[in-house]
Amino acid sequence: MTTQSARTPSDAKEKKVWDVAVIGGGAAGMMAAGVAAAAGASVVLLEKNPGLGKKLLITGGGRCNVTNAEFDTRVLLAKFNSRGKKTDQFLFSPFAKHGVEETLAFFNDRGMPTKIEANKRVFPESNSAQSVWDVLNTYIEEGRVKVIPGIKVLNIAQKDGHISYVELANQQRVLAHSYIFATGGKSRPETGSTGDGFDWLRVLGHEVKEPDASLVPLTLKDSWTKALAGVSLPSIALTMLQNNKKYGKRTGGMVFTHQGISGPAVLNSSNDVGELLKYGPVSLSLDLLPGIALDALDVQLRASFEEDSNKKVRNVVSKIIPASLADVVFEKLEMNGDMPCHTVNRAQRIALGHTIKGIEMNVHGLLGVEKAIVTSGGVVLTEIDFRSMRSKLIDNLFVVGDLLNIDRPSGGYSLQLCWTTGTVAGLSAAEAAKAHKTH
Ligand SMILES: Cc1cc2nc3c(=O)[nH]c(=O)nc-3n(C[C@H](O)[C@H](O)[C@H](O)COP(=O)(O)OP(=O)(O)OC[C@H]3O[C@@H](n4cnc5c(N)ncnc54)[C@H](O)[C@@H]3O)c2cc1C
């Protein structure tokens, strides 16, 4: 992409001047377009895919973790950072205007009930990301947003710190008073997020940190994990280790994949694992029962073995942990799972407990940016006025969603950031257009 010096509007093939042009019809762009239209602006939404919200539809494994039910804004904002630095001073203002409560009200009031699951993750009651998409789509239809799908925005024309028009791949120009960039980051490019907005922002003079995988699945060296592909563990703990030293623990869900492991606990450890890998091999200790201490587990195993003394130890252990993992535990211990429980001695039982609470896995690496859930990187925060999401360099430009250099864990925080920044930008862009027209 290149920016071009502005030609006069009389050259333009498309003469209509919209109040607001939103580029990118993902979560943040759909929200921004709907809000701007609801505020009375004429809005055009430009999306290169044939349909809107392709990534939104695959969020949360197709269930869409729509936000995180943390209502204490300070606690919520502590989850966000920009390359390790706090972001409260930027995010407090937009979150005061549209935070978690407003997000829940937005979707609930539009006929999408929600439910709260572990770690305050909020999902639609329907368990379907389609419900979220439907609400947003109805919202933009009600606002009579003009959606132009299936055509890529190629160029941004700017003059003297002001965008004059954007040019589509079919050479059509789209003119507007305000422009909202909502083209997302670089993760999962097959959904349309190919980093175009980063290039435009750079050419417009913004500093953009190089995108880097932030929440990514891990690949493992251990071949035994391959047979478990698809096995999901809803509540485990993972401790990161290097040279026998512990480097933090993450709890939550985990799923075995063909290449290794994924799921919230894994994604949330990927940043740290990536850092540690720079210094040498990293291993993970998988605790299958983080809610029960080792001593208590031993008591439980002893009681179970006494109760089912003639049963095979494998069958009894499989009542406590998934059967496929029980096989792994016995293999690791080189213990015969077919032995009757009454023949298991104390040392074997204690070793069982230790292994259930600490299966070793060895990290091979991180899957690349293209497989990331979120990419870190983006426009530096000091160059955006977060009260409006307006660029401090380009007076009619607003920037939202994954284009911002903000890291956050898995848990609904990414989409909340889209709802918040999309809403604030939509309102501000509509207001700016109104002000421009009345002058
Ligand atoms: C597999 C997966 C699961 C996830 N699950 C969750 C979850 O459950 N909860 C959560 O909070 N977050 C989740 N995330 C993160 C979340 O999806 C993103 O943070 C969010 O979608 C970012 O929204 P966005 O609008 O900024 O960008 P995107 O959703 O990336 O949308 C950008 C849009 O811009 C369009 N575009 C790009 N370039 C152009 C161009 N040149 N011209 C026209 N259009 C263009 C793209 O086609 C795309 O539609 C998940 C991410 C992934 C990959």
Side-chain angles (χ1 to χ4, degrees):
M1 112 83 213
T2 52
T3 56
Q4 306 172 339
S5 60
R7 279 169 265 177
T8 57
S10 59
D11 295 337
K13 289 182 184 157
E14 172 67 71
K15 294 274 170 41
K16 178 174 171 72
V17 180
W18 299 88
D19 289 335
V20 179
V22 181
I23 309 172
M30 287 175 89
M31 182 58 106
V35 169
S42 62
V43 182
V44 62
L45 175 55
L46 309 169
E47 167 55 53
K48 70 177 174 184
N49 286 330
L52 300 174
K54 194 168 176 191
K55 184 178 280 178
L56 178 64
L57 288 168
I58 59 162
T59 53
R63 294 203 302 136
C64 187
N65 179 190
V66 74
T67 184
N68 190 282
E70 175 54 72
F71 298 106
D72 183 332
T73 306
R74 279 184 198 285
V75 177
L76 182 84
L77 293 190
K79 299 280 185 184
F80 296 85
N81 71 84
S82 190
R83 305 258 153 146
K85 288 198 186 125
K86 291 181 95 184
T87 50
D88 298 26
Q89 78 269 31
F90 301 106
L91 294 181
F92 207 81
S93 167
F95 272 79
K97 293 185 178 116
H98 186 99
V100 175
E101 269 176 62
E102 287 79 9
T103 293
L104 290 177
F106 176 85
F107 287 104
N108 295 163
D109 293 350
R110 287 173 174 75
M112 190 193 90
T114 43
K115 57 179 175 172
I116 302 173
E117 296 192 359
N119 299 322
K120 301 189 181 177
R121 288 164 185 265
V122 179
F123 292 89
E125 251 178 30
S126 64
N127 279 324
S128 171
Q130 185 67 48
S131 305
V132 180
W133 189 96
D134 287 345
V135 169
L136 289 168
N137 196 51
T138 306
Y139 188 47
I140 59 178
E141 273 177 9
E142 281 168 2
R144 296 176 190 273
V145 172
K146 165 83 176 155
V147 179
I148 304 183
I151 306 175
K152 195 173 169 176
V153 172
L154 277 189
N155 293 316
I156 312 293
Q158 68 108 11
K159 199 177 177 204
D160 303 330
H162 189 83
I163 295 176
S164 330
Y165 61 87
V166 301
E167 191 171 65
L168 307 183
N170 62 2
Q171 267 116 52
Q172 184 189 352
R173 290 181 196 168
V174 176
L175 284 76
H177 295 296
S178 304
Y179 296 84
I180 301 178
F181 282 3
T183 47
K186 273 195 170 174
S187 70
R188 302 295 291 262
E190 73 278 12
T191 65
S193 326
T194 44
D196 299 11
F198 293 139
D199 297 339
W200 300 334
L201 285 163
R202 278 201 184 98
V203 178
L204 290 169
H206 275 289
E207 186 187 345
V208 177
K209 296 286 180 198
E210 202 43 52
D212 197 2
S214 173
L215 294 179
V216 285
L218 303 178
T219 55
L220 297 176
K221 292 177 184 165
D222 314 84
S223 52
W224 59 265
T225 58
K226 294 204 173 20
L228 296 177
V231 172
S232 172
L233 306 170
S235 176
I236 55 91
L238 276 180
T239 304
M240 292 166 269
L241 295 136
Q242 189 163 61
N243 300 326
N244 293 323
K245 202 172 157 215
K246 292 182 181 171
Y247 284 91
K249 187 166 150 178
R250 299 286 182 278
T251 54
M254 183 185 114
V255 60
F256 287 95
T257 66
H258 288 290
Q259 288 136 309
I261 46 175
S262 187
V266 176
L267 299 171
N268 287 338
S269 64
S270 60
N271 242 340
D272 292 343
V273 169
E275 263 316 292
L276 286 170
L277 278 171
K278 291 178 188 161
Y279 304 98
V282 180
S283 65
L284 299 168
S285 174
L286 167 63
D287 183 348
L288 293 169
L289 297 173
I292 177 165
L294 195 56
D295 293 356
L297 176 59
D298 190 50
V299 172
Q300 188 181 336
L301 286 173
R302 199 169 60 200
S304 304
F305 292 172
E306 274 169 17
E307 198 182 315
D308 290 322
S309 61
N310 289 324
K311 289 202 177 142
K312 288 178 183 172
V313 62
R314 182 198 314 278
N315 295 347
V316 174
V317 169
S318 297
K319 288 183 194 162
I320 306 173
I321 59 172
S324 48
L325 267 301
D327 289 341
V328 171
V329 167
F330 288 114
E331 222 165 89
K332 291 245 165 214
L333 286 169
E334 294 180 359
M335 187 173 160
N336 179 4
D338 291 336
M339 63 201 278
C341 286
H342 67 84
T343 63
V344 177
N345 65 32
R346 182 171 178 273
Q348 286 171 316
R349 197 186 64 230
I350 289 173
L352 250 176
H354 273 286
T355 308
I356 289 171
K357 287 191 68 66
I359 299 178
E360 187 186 299
M361 300 186 293
N362 296 286
V363 178
H364 180 265
L366 275 67
L367 277 183
V369 170
E370 65 286 353
K371 292 284 180 217
I373 299 298
V374 169
T375 46
S376 62
V379 65
V380 300
L381 306 189
T382 47
E383 295 181 358
I384 302 293
D385 180 348
F386 274 77
R387 290 169 302 180
S388 58
M389 302 314 299
R390 192 199 287 249
S391 156
K392 290 183 183 170
L393 309 184
I394 306 289
D395 69 356
N396 60 344
L397 172 64
F398 300 79
V399 185
V400 295
D402 277 4
L403 280 173
L404 300 159
N405 185 28
I406 298 176
D407 291 342
R408 60 274 170 183
S410 151
Y413 304 99
S414 297
L415 284 175
Q416 181 55 54
L417 191 63
C418 289
W419 314 137
T420 296
T421 55
T423 300
V424 172
L427 278 175
S428 316
E431 265 168 37
K434 204 184 285 172
H436 187 268
K437 284 195 293 190
T438 50
H439 278 107

